[in-house]
Amino acid sequence: MCFGFIPAFIGSKNINDVVFIAIDFEYLENVKQDPSQNLDTQVGVAILDTQNFVSSPRNAICTFNFVIGSPSYCAKNTRKFLFGKTVTIHRKDISQKLEALISRTRNNILVGQDFINDLRILQFLQFNLYSSIVGILDLQKVAAEIMPGVPLKLYNILEELSCPYGGLHNAGNDAYFTLRALLLLAIKSYPSSIAANNDHQSKLTALEAVTQVPIPARRNRHDKNREKKLKRMQKSKKYQARLRDIETVERIRAERVERKIEKENDLKFGSWLSTTTPNKAAEIEDGVQLFVGLERLVNKLARFKWLVIVLMEEDAFCGPSTDKNTEARVVSQSTVAKAENTIIKNNRRKELRFKALHLLLIAFFLWLLSECQSPPFDINRQNPGSADAGCWFPKTFDKAVILIIDALRYDFTIPVNSEVHHFHNALKVLHDTAQQYPENAFLLPFIADPPTTTLLRLKGLTTGTLPTFIDAGSNFAGTAIEEDNLVAQLRSVGKMLVHLGDDTWHQLFPDYFEPNLTHAYDSFNVWDLHTVDNGVTGHLLPLLEPQNAGKWDVIFGHFLGVDHAGHRYGPDHQATNEKLKQMDNVIRQVMTSLDDETLLVVMGDHGMDTKGDHGGESDDEVESALWMYSKKPVFGHGHNGIMEPPSTARDRPVGQIDLVPTLALLLGMPIPFNSLGSPIAEAFITPKQPDWQRLASVNALAAAQIQRYQREYSKARGLDNNVFADSLERWEVAQDLWRSALQLKKESRSYKSVYTTFSDYQRETLQICRSLWARFDILSMIYGIILQTGSLLVILIYARASTPYRVEDVPVLLRHILITTPFCVILALGLGVAFPSIGMLNSGLLGFAAGGLLGFASALRKVPYGYSIPLPNSFWGWISIVFTLLQAIGFASNSYTIWEDEILMFLLSTFACLVISATIRQSSSTDRVLGLIQASIFFVLTRVASLSRLCREEQMPYCKSTYYSSATSSTSASWQLLIPFASSMVLPSLIKSYFRGTRSYEGSAVIWIGVVLRLGLLACGVFWSLDAADDNDWLSVNKDILRTLKTTIAQLILGTAFVAGTTYYVLAKPCISIEVLPTTDESDAGNITPYKPKSVTVFGYSNMHGSRYFLIVGNWLLAIVLLQKPMGGGTIVILALQLFALLEVIDSNDLSQSAIGPVVLALLGSFYFFKTGHQATLASIQWESAFIPLKAIHYPWSPMLVFLNTYGAQIFTTIAVPLLVLWKKPPQKKGLLGDVAMAMATYILYFAVINLATTMWAGWLRRHLMLYRIFSPRYLTGMAMLLVVDIVGIVVALGSVRWNFLSVSEVFGWA
């Protein structure tokens, strides 16, 4: 007999040395499922050893809780378990854990509540129920025997026995309370006759002690957080301050005041400013007088020859500091008041100190400017220089009119015998004047330094410095020029400056121009060809009239019509011809209005390519024109003996930086300090007989200024003397030749060799500076690549190496990242303080990135099931890797990068062929036929889309552009206008056929695809037809009315797509219809009597998620089609059809879990980037897309429209990524959100690999000849692509998935 139970309960004989083992399972049905799924369940085990309970009743019952499943389920049940720590295990380890707890050498009795189901699970797990198992007790049967009539649920039994309990439905807790209830039943049924026995009485007492052990209180996380918060508060200074006595508080206040005063006294001025006065008020007044004196001194000094700033030894303005008492003392109220007065006075001293230093700092920067009275080289001038006569060199002109014709390519100015293109023989005045009057005018090729954006070119044209490629981004957010420049030099001597035209000048030179005469115009409205030009002409010509001559000294006029015509139509268009003729007429009018003392300069800031774009470094983009004209004969060509202008831009070109020293010396100004240009010879060599001394003098001045800049630059950068050794040697030779020429007083041969030597020095120094300014911070590049690699590994692990519970792992990952990131940021900022050369911003960003990576790495150990090695386990997985790595490796080749669109077409065609090969081996005939058809469609559409191409210069002559009407145009051909109308007829019908394959063309799909999408595409065709009519003057309608109509249609389309479409998507029901048919009884002929149950058919059930999600994809499809040119819109339509073919291929081959789907979708996005008229070049950006729904620039909408145009294909494929998972998935499919996350992470992973590859190759090939022409633009394109994909994927795609799941679950519930 054992614990009062008769042997019938446990067997046929009495048993000693017994171990009671209670076992409980939760979610029994999940245990029988596939072990690899690891579904949610629990196993609880409670053990009572009869040998130990007498000696230690408190620890008699040992309880264990094992949990299997998702992280959230595991965390929840870990908190509920009352008797120890929950252990997370895998489903396959249940039997092993149970065996480890059971001693097969003892007599074991299994106990359970409603134990039959638990026993079946044990049998399913192949648990040995015979070896050492001497009995099995079911608590329900025991309770029914002892307490008849009591409900047999566990909590009913515990309440009947007055046993406290908690945390039921947790397996460990249930097992424990099952044993405890069993013990209470044993006590209740214990026979009184046996209880009188002393031995039994002691055991009964011990048994009662076991049942009276207190139940541990369940502590929730809020209680724990409150305890932690209380401990932190008790450690805080504020809490501890409440416990201090008054003396301690006063002592601490006194110490704080002393530290404050000491800190203020550590800020010292130069002893040469120090004064000693008896009281502080007088000292402050003296400080004010000193500040006023400094201000007057700086106002008087135009330039500072020297500047010494020494910090004061004591308080200059406030007198000597107070004595420092190191002993702690209690401060009275009056002492604190005195300390406050001292702090106020110290603040006043700091204010005065700041103002004084600020003025001295301004003086220091003024010193850096080139000075009028101090030329860098003595040219043996008789009279000292002045602004009136010429600072360094006698001035030739008093005034200047400088006209910039934006994008004036050199060949626009050269006449041809037959008009081959529209831009020929339209602007004749420049060439004709230079040829007929070479003493009054000259025309030269004017070579720009890339990148050829307007803002950077204006910087080069006014400062004489070289740009860097990454500065191209400042074209859209320019800041004021702070270095020395020609405009500042003119302003500093009191010249009255007037600006007309492009408002970019006001970003660079704010408050430089006469406000009453200056008129700026918006520079980015490329659809407006006339407003700027007409405005400049209308204000320029009146200023040139004699009565207005005293209102200005230099006029800057910037015309934009030629540039805008090129952007909108291309150079070979009638609009460009008309703008060039307009410029010809304006220049002729200006020439007639000038006097003899005014210089006229006409130039282009850059050229344009064959499509009218610019930004890169192709020949057409860098070759602009420079023309100078004067009514008095001052120009010459005798230095080279050629009188006619060059016939091509390759003959006798000059750099744009050469304009700065040329204009400075012609107008009598100092050459700006950082100018690297050389004076243009034609502007200084006299007509008829060449004046070599004059030409040598101006080159000596320019070379001396370059040498001075070179010296200061070397000091600032700490460069070795050997860097400029060769050029300095040439400088010494040139100086010797100059001195020899002065002594010999020869003008021809001697000064000619001086001119040649100084020119050689300038060219060599410029080459050295170009190489120096192409320096690379290798360490920062390595840091960046390491961080990119770490980020890529994070995406790789999450996408391809995580468990099915990757979505539920996110809270664990984020928690660790949020913990480690602040720590790493603080550590990195400390590093920035220790090493100031790193910079605080770089340090903070480095710490932020490193903190995220470290947090993710630390979280991997906390995820319940960990992560596996991300190696593919299928053929398609390896194909995904091959496709991605082939592209990544190929970017090391400039030819591969140039022909990237052809490589992408090859990869997509290869995928289609592989799918066809795999589909043939399908066992299902339906899948085989469907797969073959869709793979063939995918292949054919790839080849059709490849017919749309926009060739880059490097692809010529092996490529023919078809995107526009011709290779030299930016407008669509007439036949291309039919594409949007054809798309509106074909695309909705084809989408409808795909939906009908799953009976999903129901409900919302009928309205949005059959009506809204079709009408939207039709409206796109109307818009582009009106645009073509506006371009070609097909309609005799007022252009303002036509443009208003166009923008209204575009706004309606975008409003339908984004506003109405998104609202409809959020509120729409699933694309299904429900048909209820009664079941009939036909026993009576002709009499049909309905009866229950009824038959319910749900059409579209099998594709409920996919069909509804496509509604948001269709919205963006409509917007993107509008923002592309007609040819680009047609390719986007083909992309949509290829998307459906890909979805069917993925479904028929069961590849929704494979990486091949996201990778091929990414390849499609990259492929159609090229097919929509784009290349990895700045010149291919279609700026006019910003004005499709707008008449003027509006931030932030205009840049967003340009991004939608440029990256429309990638945006479309990014939003379509969830379709790879949701297509043909029923509503009750489990794990869909995790699969969507995996697909999106894999898709982003592809672009992250491409971005890392382009970054690495751009760094490795940093000295390659094609770095700025090919590799850097591709790197910037890859970076922008990754940024766009990240933002759109997270915000739009994953955000839209939320509404999709909510809508579906509202009808069919949650899976």
Side-chain angles (χ1 to χ4, degrees):
M1 187 169 297
C2 185
F3 293 104
F5 291 103
I6 58 175
F9 280 98
I10 56 175
S12 58
K13 60 178 181 179
N14 294 336
I15 301 173
N16 297 315
D17 189 23
V18 173
V19 178
F20 289 90
I21 303 172
I23 300 177
D24 183 77
F25 288 90
E26 295 289 332
Y27 293 100
L28 300 171
E29 66 278 2
N30 288 346
V31 180
K32 294 183 178 182
Q33 301 299 323
D34 183 4
S36 62
Q37 295 184 12
N38 214 43
L39 299 177
D40 297 342
T41 187
Q42 293 180 74
V43 183
V45 180
I47 301 174
L48 174 63
D49 192 338
T50 57
Q51 294 182 355
N52 301 329
F53 79 94
V54 177
S55 59
S56 180
R58 180 173 292 273
N59 301 320
I61 301 177
C62 298
T63 310
F64 305 90
N65 189 50
F66 303 104
V67 64
I68 303 101
S70 64
S72 60
Y73 180 80
C74 295
K76 174 183 176 182
N77 287 281
T78 297
R79 293 192 298 267
K80 287 183 64 176
F81 184 49
L82 302 177
F83 304 101
K85 184 177 181 181
T86 298
V87 179
T88 301
I89 64 173
H90 198 275
R91 150 74 177 75
K92 62 184 179 182
D93 298 329
I94 296 176
S95 297
Q96 180 182 354
K97 293 294 182 182
L98 291 176
E99 286 292 343
L101 296 176
I102 296 176
S103 174
R104 293 293 183 176
T105 61
R106 304 281 300 277
N107 294 322
N108 299 303
I109 297 179
L110 301 183
V111 182
Q113 164 70 7
D114 191 13
F115 208 24
I116 184 64
N117 295 321
D118 300 277
L119 289 175
R120 289 171 179 166
I121 294 298
L122 290 173
Q123 288 178 335
F124 174 78
L125 295 173
Q126 298 181 351
F127 180 80
N128 191 345
L129 293 174
Y130 302 98
S131 175
S132 76
I133 306 298
V134 298
I136 297 174
L137 293 175
D138 189 334
L139 183 66
Q140 275 193 357
K141 296 181 179 180
V142 174
E145 183 74 20
I146 297 175
M147 300 184 301
V150 174
L152 299 179
K153 295 291 184 182
L154 180 59
Y155 70 90
N156 297 126
I157 297 173
L158 293 171
E159 289 178 353
E160 182 67 21
L161 295 171
S162 301
C163 177
Y165 63 91
L168 296 183
H169 300 294
N170 174 277
N173 296 342
D174 289 356
Y176 175 87
F177 288 113
T178 298
L179 269 186
R180 194 154 175 169
L182 182 66
L183 297 180
L184 289 170
L185 287 172
I187 295 171
K188 186 178 183 67
S189 64
Y190 213 84
S192 57
S193 58
I194 301 178
N197 186 292
N198 292 333
D199 183 45
H200 287 274
Q201 185 63 44
S202 62
K203 292 182 179 180
L204 188 60
T205 303
L207 195 62
E208 291 176 342
V210 173
T211 62
Q212 294 173 3
V213 173
I215 304 298
R218 181 183 176 189
R219 296 173 59 204
N220 58 39
R221 55 183 175 182
H222 301 292
D223 296 332
K224 295 179 182 179
N225 292 337
R226 279 193 291 270
E227 291 179 9
K228 291 180 180 179
K229 187 175 181 180
L230 178 61
K231 290 180 180 179
R232 286 196 300 267
M233 184 186 71
Q234 292 174 348
K235 293 180 180 179
S236 66
K237 294 181 180 179
K238 184 176 181 180
Y239 180 85
Q240 295 175 1
R242 299 175 182 173
L243 307 178
R244 297 181 183 135
D245 54 21
I246 297 177
E247 293 184 358
T248 303
V249 172
E250 290 295 330
R251 176 175 57 79
I252 292 174
R253 287 179 179 174
E255 291 174 354
R256 288 177 179 171
V257 170
E258 285 190 358
R259 286 197 298 270
K260 183 78 174 180
I261 295 173
E262 291 175 9
K263 184 176 180 181
E264 297 293 341
N265 290 336
D266 285 340
L267 300 172
K268 302 176 181 180
F269 267 76
S271 58
W272 56 281
L273 291 175
S274 181
T275 59
T276 306
T277 51
N279 59 72
K280 293 187 182 296
E283 291 170 2
I284 292 175
E285 182 63 24
D286 288 346
V288 173
Q289 296 300 324
L290 178 59
F291 167 72
V292 173
L294 282 172
E295 186 176 18
R296 290 173 181 170
L297 177 62
V298 173
N299 288 335
K300 290 180 180 180
L301 293 176
R303 306 287 186 268
F304 266 48
K305 295 293 184 181
W306 49 267
L307 180 64
V308 180
I309 299 176
V310 185
L311 297 180
M312 296 179 69
E313 296 297 327
E314 293 293 338
D315 281 339
F317 294 157
C318 298
S321 60
T322 58
D323 295 335
K324 303 175 180 62
N325 187 1
T326 56
E327 297 180 0
R329 52 193 174 87
V330 179
V331 188
S332 64
Q333 186 175 2
S334 60
T335 305
V336 174
K338 291 179 181 179
E340 291 176 351
N341 291 333
T342 303
I343 292 173
I344 294 173
K345 293 175 181 178
N346 281 333
N347 287 333
R348 175 61 175 163
R349 176 180 65 84
K350 290 165 63 179
E351 179 184 355
L352 296 173
R353 176 180 183 271
F354 166 76
K355 291 179 178 179
L357 285 179
H358 182 261
L359 286 175
L360 294 175
L361 186 65
I362 292 175
F364 175 71
F365 277 98
L366 289 174
W367 171 67
L368 289 177
L369 301 179
S370 299
E371 305 172 39
C372 184
Q373 293 82 7
S374 301
F377 191 84
D378 184 9
I379 59 173
N380 199 27
R381 188 177 177 186
Q382 299 298 323
N383 299 320
S386 65
D388 293 333
C391 291
W392 295 358
F393 190 78
K395 68 178 182 180
T396 307
F397 300 99
D398 293 329
K399 295 185 174 186
V401 176
I402 302 172
L403 303 181
I404 298 95
I405 301 178
D406 208 292
L408 179 62
R409 207 167 71 191
Y410 184 72
D411 59 340
F412 292 178
T413 66
I414 304 301
V416 295
N417 295 329
S418 58
E419 294 189 14
V420 179
H421 300 290
H422 286 93
F423 53 79
H424 285 143
N425 299 336
L427 181 58
K428 299 179 180 181
V429 63
L430 307 183
H431 187 274
D432 292 347
T433 308
Q435 187 173 28
Q436 297 172 15
Y437 309 101
E439 296 177 354
N440 300 88
F442 64 85
L443 174 64
L444 293 173
F446 201 38
I447 307 303
D449 291 295
T452 49
T453 58
T454 295
L455 184 139
L456 291 184
R457 290 297 78 241
L458 293 182
K459 284 186 176 182
L461 289 169
T462 54
T463 63
T465 55
L466 300 174
T468 56
F469 188 88
I470 197 65
D471 288 337
S474 64
N475 194 55
F476 315 106
T479 56
I481 295 178
E482 297 178 352
E483 59 263 36
D484 194 8
N485 61 82
L486 182 63
V487 180
Q489 291 286 356
L490 292 168
R491 185 69 173 173
S492 67
V493 297
K495 297 288 186 182
M496 291 180 289
L497 310 180
V498 175
H499 167 257
L500 305 169
D502 187 349
D503 62 352
T504 306
W505 287 81
H506 290 264
Q507 300 175 28
L508 301 177
F509 308 105
D511 303 325
Y512 277 63
F513 305 107
E514 298 296 321
N516 296 329
L517 301 176
T518 294
H519 300 276
Y521 299 89
D522 182 17
S523 59
F524 282 103
N525 191 350
V526 297
W527 283 34
D528 186 352
L529 308 186
H530 307 293
T531 300
V532 177
D533 291 358
N534 293 342
V536 174
T537 305
H539 293 98
L540 172 63
L541 296 178
L543 284 175
L544 298 179
E545 296 177 358
Q547 62 270 24
N548 295 323
K551 297 181 180 180
W552 60 272
D553 292 303
V554 179
I555 297 176
F556 297 92
H558 196 142
F559 296 92
L560 294 172
V562 175
D563 178 70
H564 288 183
H567 282 298
R568 185 173 180 183
Y569 303 107
D572 193 13
H573 192 274
Q574 184 60 35
T576 305
N577 179 276
E578 293 174 358
K579 295 308 298 182
L580 290 172
K581 287 181 178 179
Q582 180 186 5
M583 293 299 99
D584 184 273
N585 183 51
V586 170
I587 294 170
R588 293 181 188 274
Q589 295 182 61
V590 173
M591 290 171 60
T592 60
S593 303
L594 296 180
D595 57 27
D596 290 349
E597 300 303 322
T598 302
L599 171 68
L600 174 59
V601 181
V602 177
M603 59 182 170
D605 56 343
H606 51 73
M608 64 173 69
D609 63 12
T610 56
K611 305 179 304 301
D613 298 317
H614 57 87
E617 58 175 335
S618 67
D619 292 341
D620 285 342
E621 292 172 90
V622 301
E623 294 172 354
S624 59
L626 172 67
W627 179 78
M628 288 191 181
Y629 171 79
S630 169
K631 282 196 171 181
K632 59 183 179 181
V634 295
F635 302 133
H637 301 77
H639 66 293
N640 52 27
I642 303 175
M643 303 300 290
E644 294 185 354
S647 58
T648 67
R650 299 182 182 275
D651 299 334
R652 294 153 44 207
V654 296
Q656 289 193 350
I657 59 175
D658 295 340
L659 179 71
V660 173
T662 302
L663 285 180
L665 296 176
L666 287 175
L667 296 174
M669 296 291 104
I671 299 175
F673 179 75
N674 43 0
S675 171
L676 296 174
S678 302
I680 299 172
E682 283 81 354
F684 296 97
I685 195 165
T686 54
K688 299 180 181 178
Q689 187 67 27
D691 188 348
W692 291 106
Q693 183 178 4
R694 177 181 171 88
L695 192 56
S697 298
V698 294
N699 274 274
L701 289 170
Q705 176 57 43
I706 293 174
Q707 196 274 335
R708 182 164 66 175
Y709 174 76
Q710 168 189 314
R711 183 175 62 251
E712 297 299 328
Y713 181 80
S714 299
K715 290 179 181 179
R717 296 293 298 267
L719 298 178
D720 189 84
N721 294 330
N722 296 327
V723 174
F724 292 99
D726 294 338
S727 63
L728 289 175
E729 183 178 350
R730 197 174 297 275
W731 166 254
E732 297 295 337
V733 173
Q735 284 184 306
D736 293 339
L737 291 174
W738 174 265
R739 286 189 289 267
S740 300
L742 288 177
Q743 294 174 0
L744 297 174
K745 296 183 179 181
K746 293 182 179 179
E747 295 185 1
S748 57
R749 294 182 180 178
S750 299
Y751 283 112
K752 184 176 182 180
S753 61
V754 172
Y755 158 70
T756 303
T757 308
F758 275 126
S759 298
D760 292 341
Y761 164 75
Q762 293 164 18
R763 282 193 297 269
E764 188 169 342
T765 304
L766 181 61
Q767 292 176 359
I768 295 174
C769 289
R770 288 184 189 275
S771 63
L772 286 175
W773 290 351
R775 298 175 67 181
F776 300 92
D777 188 346
I778 304 299
L779 188 60
S780 296
M781 292 167 66
I782 293 174
Y783 286 157
I785 290 174
I786 290 174
L787 291 178
Q788 283 193 55
T789 305
S791 302
L792 188 147
L793 290 176
V794 168
I795 303 173
L796 175 63
I797 292 172
Y798 183 79
R800 308 311 308 176
S802 60
T803 65
Y805 302 103
R806 59 178 54 85
V807 175
E808 298 179 2
D809 291 344
V810 170
V812 180
L813 299 175
L814 289 180
R815 184 168 62 250
H816 284 77
I817 291 172
L818 292 176
I819 292 173
T820 57
T821 298
F823 172 77
C824 290
V825 169
I826 294 172
L827 189 64
L829 291 176
L831 185 66
V833 173
F835 301 96
S837 60
I838 299 177
M840 296 299 291
L841 179 61
N842 290 338
S843 300
L845 293 175
L846 177 64
F848 185 81
L853 297 177
L854 183 62
F856 183 86
S858 64
L860 294 181
R861 298 183 297 105
K862 302 295 184 179
V863 174
Y865 307 113
Y867 287 80
S868 59
I869 300 175
L871 288 177
N873 54 7
S874 67
F875 168 78
W876 292 109
W878 285 109
I879 290 296
S880 305
I881 293 178
V882 170
F883 281 1
T884 305
L885 292 183
L886 275 178
Q887 262 211 290
I889 296 171
F891 287 118
S893 166
N894 58 336
S895 58
Y896 180 98
T897 307
I898 291 170
W899 293 97
E900 183 182 355
D901 54 340
E902 299 296 321
I903 304 298
L904 289 167
M905 183 182 69
F906 168 77
L907 294 178
L908 291 171
S909 300
T910 302
F911 167 74
C913 294
L914 291 174
V915 170
I916 292 173
S917 176
T919 305
I920 292 175
R921 297 191 295 270
Q922 288 276 12
S923 58
S924 171
S925 60
T926 303
D927 290 340
R928 185 164 59 250
V929 172
L930 182 62
L932 285 173
I933 293 174
Q934 298 302 326
S936 301
I937 292 174
F938 187 93
F939 179 86
V940 171
L941 291 178
T942 301
R943 305 300 297 185
V944 171
S946 68
L947 299 177
S948 170
R949 64 172 65 92
L950 180 70
C951 305
R952 55 188 294 165
E953 183 188 18
E954 296 83 0
Q955 293 176 329
M956 298 298 184
Y958 308 104
C959 177
K960 182 179 180 181
S961 295
T962 59
Y963 191 76
Y964 296 110
S965 59
S966 68
T968 59
S969 174
S970 292
T971 59
S972 301
S974 300
W975 68 268
Q976 293 175 342
L977 299 177
L978 298 175
I979 295 176
F981 294 103
S983 299
S984 66
M985 299 296 104
V986 175
L987 180 62
S989 300
L990 293 177
I991 295 176
K992 178 180 177 181
S993 67
Y994 280 102
F995 271 60
R996 281 188 168 175
T998 55
R999 303 296 297 272
S1000 300
Y1001 193 69
E1002 306 288 346
S1004 305
V1006 176
I1007 299 174
W1008 208 250
I1009 296 173
V1011 179
V1012 177
L1013 181 60
R1014 190 183 300 276
L1015 292 178
L1017 293 173
L1018 188 63
C1020 291
V1022 173
F1023 170 87
W1024 286 111
S1025 298
L1026 292 175
D1027 180 73
D1030 183 21
D1031 291 345
N1032 299 284
D1033 296 326
W1034 292 344
L1035 301 176
S1036 57
V1037 180
N1038 184 283
K1039 285 189 174 292
D1040 291 335
I1041 297 176
L1042 195 60
R1043 289 168 188 168
T1044 301
L1045 180 60
K1046 283 195 314 179
T1047 55
T1048 302
I1049 293 174
Q1051 290 170 2
L1052 287 174
I1053 295 172
L1054 293 178
T1056 301
F1058 290 135
V1059 181
T1062 303
T1063 304
Y1064 187 82
Y1065 173 78
V1066 171
L1067 301 177
K1069 300 299 181 182
C1071 301
I1072 60 172
S1073 66
I1074 300 175
E1075 184 179 87
V1076 180
L1077 297 176
T1079 304
T1080 60
D1081 184 2
E1082 300 181 1
S1083 57
D1084 234 352
N1087 231 352
I1088 301 177
T1089 305
Y1091 70 96
K1092 295 182 179 180
K1094 296 180 179 180
S1095 172
V1096 178
T1097 304
V1098 180
F1099 295 104
Y1101 180 86
S1102 63
N1103 192 24
M1104 191 175 302
H1105 279 290
S1107 59
R1108 189 192 182 281
Y1109 183 81
F1110 182 79
L1111 297 180
I1112 193 67
V1113 179
N1115 293 339
W1116 285 80
L1117 170 67
L1118 180 59
I1120 294 170
V1121 167
L1122 169 69
L1123 296 176
Q1124 307 294 330
K1125 292 291 181 70
M1127 193 72 168
T1131 59
I1132 293 295
V1133 168
I1134 296 175
L1135 172 59
L1137 296 177
Q1138 274 194 282
L1139 170 65
F1140 281 102
L1142 176 64
L1143 295 176
E1144 295 294 340
V1145 165
I1146 294 295
D1147 177 69
S1148 63
N1149 290 273
D1150 194 20
L1151 297 176
S1152 61
Q1153 298 289 324
S1154 174
I1156 192 64
V1159 169
V1160 171
L1161 200 57
L1163 290 173
L1164 282 172
S1166 300
F1167 177 64
Y1168 280 91
F1169 168 79
F1170 298 99
K1171 300 302 107 180
T1172 52
H1174 299 95
Q1175 289 283 350
T1177 60
L1178 291 175
S1180 68
I1181 299 175
Q1182 300 171 20
W1183 301 110
E1184 63 272 21
S1185 59
F1187 302 96
I1188 290 176
L1190 303 170
K1191 292 183 178 180
I1193 293 288
H1194 294 284
Y1195 293 97
W1197 310 117
S1198 297
M1200 290 174 64
L1201 291 169
V1202 174
F1203 264 89
L1204 276 171
N1205 169 272
T1206 306
Y1207 300 106
Q1210 286 94 340
I1211 291 172
F1212 178 78
T1213 53
T1214 302
I1215 298 172
V1217 168
L1219 277 177
L1220 297 171
V1221 175
L1222 301 178
W1223 189 253
K1224 292 189 177 181
K1225 294 298 187 298
Q1228 294 295 322
K1229 180 74 167 63
K1230 293 185 177 181
L1232 278 182
L1233 186 58
D1235 293 341
V1236 169
M1238 178 179 67
M1240 183 59 69
T1242 306
Y1243 180 83
I1244 294 175
L1245 177 63
Y1246 167 84
F1247 287 99
V1249 171
I1250 298 303
N1251 184 49
L1252 176 61
T1254 54
T1255 304
M1256 292 174 61
W1257 294 129
W1260 181 258
L1261 302 170
R1262 60 189 178 277
R1263 297 294 179 186
H1264 195 281
L1265 181 64
M1266 294 294 177
L1267 174 65
Y1268 295 117
R1269 194 163 187 164
I1270 295 175
F1271 296 111
S1272 286
R1274 186 59 185 87
Y1275 153 66
L1276 294 176
T1277 303
M1279 180 178 63
M1281 282 183 183
L1282 179 60
L1283 181 63
V1284 168
V1285 165
D1286 283 345
I1287 295 175
V1288 174
I1290 295 170
V1291 176
V1292 181
L1294 294 182
S1296 300
V1297 167
R1298 171 188 175 88
W1299 297 108
N1300 200 72
F1301 275 68
L1302 290 174
S1303 176
V1304 172
S1305 63
E1306 183 180 355
V1307 179
F1308 291 93
W1310 294 95

